[in-house]
Amino acid sequence: MLDLLNLPGIKPVDMRHESKCLVIVAEPVTVEVPLCGNCNTPMHKHGTRKNKFMDTPLYMEPVCLQVQRPRFRCESCRKMSMPELSFLDDKRQATKRLVDVIRQQCLGTTFHALAEQTGVAVNTVKNIVDNGWNRYLEKHGDNV
């Protein structure tokens, strides 16, 4: 399948339409067995988990990424782990580029329209904009 996502560490394997959303199923490209952060021993595979994240719209439709990530468990301390995905926003179930697009477009359109275009809730759009504004104020202080 053609890589429509252009996101590091995952590759698309399927695509389908679901209620007002384009779902792209992806899987990690390579997965190395991690060492446990607590005891520094190799972890063992412990199944997989489907995670859903919103991404920038494609073909004028909101995009939901469904990523099947492997889970790992340490035999000695029982700690669980999943591979990190560098393109995800730390605070939301969304890609960093979607968060950036919402921040860039928030001055030219309504929050409701942005929510409809991107498939996220209106409050999520509001929170993204608020967080961006607060970061801007921290960086520039009273020079606004």
Side-chain angles (χ1 to χ4, degrees), residues 1-6 10-15 24-25 58-59:
M1 177 177 221
L2 180 65
D3 187 4
L4 301 170
L5 298 173
N6 196 25
I10 63 169
K11 65 178 179 185
V13 293
D14 192 20
M15 183 170 67
I24 299 178
V25 180
L58 193 62
Y59 308 121

Side-chain angles (χ1 to χ4, degrees), residues 9-21:
I10 63 169
K11 65 178 179 185
V13 293
D14 192 20
M15 183 170 67
R16 66 181 181 273
H17 287 276
E18 281 183 11
S19 62
K20 298 183 182 181
C21 188

Side-chain angles (χ1 to χ4, degrees), residues 11 27 36 39 42 53 56 64 72 85 105 110 112 131-132 134:
K11 65 178 179 185
E27 57 188 29
C36 177
C39 29
F53 309 100
T56 51
C64 178
F72 297 95
L85 300 173
Q105 294 183 359
T110 65
H112 190 272
N131 292 145
N134 290 337

Side-chain angles (χ1 to χ4, degrees), residues 63-121:
V63 171
C64 178
L65 298 178
Q66 183 176 311
V67 183
Q68 184 90 11
R69 291 200 286 180
R71 296 188 323 158
F72 297 95
R73 176 178 236 157
C74 178
E75 290 289 319
S76 33
C77 72
R78 303 302 220 194
K79 180 182 176 186
M80 297 288 291
S81 174
M82 278 195 298
E84 292 295 320
L85 300 173
S86 62
F87 56 84
L88 293 177
D89 186 73
D90 296 333
K91 296 181 180 179
R92 293 167 191 87
Q93 297 286 77
T95 60
K96 291 177 183 175
R97 67 183 179 193
L98 176 62
V99 171
D100 290 341
V101 163
I102 290 172
R103 286 184 181 141
Q104 290 167 6
Q105 294 183 359
C106 70
L107 296 176
T109 187
T110 65
F111 289 179
H112 190 272
L114 268 175
E116 211 168 276
Q117 291 169 10
T118 59
V120 299

Side-chain angles (χ1 to χ4, degrees), residues 133-144:
W133 180 245
N134 290 337
R135 282 191 344 190
Y136 179 84
L137 289 177
E138 287 173 7
K139 186 176 180 181
H140 298 288
D142 294 331
N143 300 331
V144 179

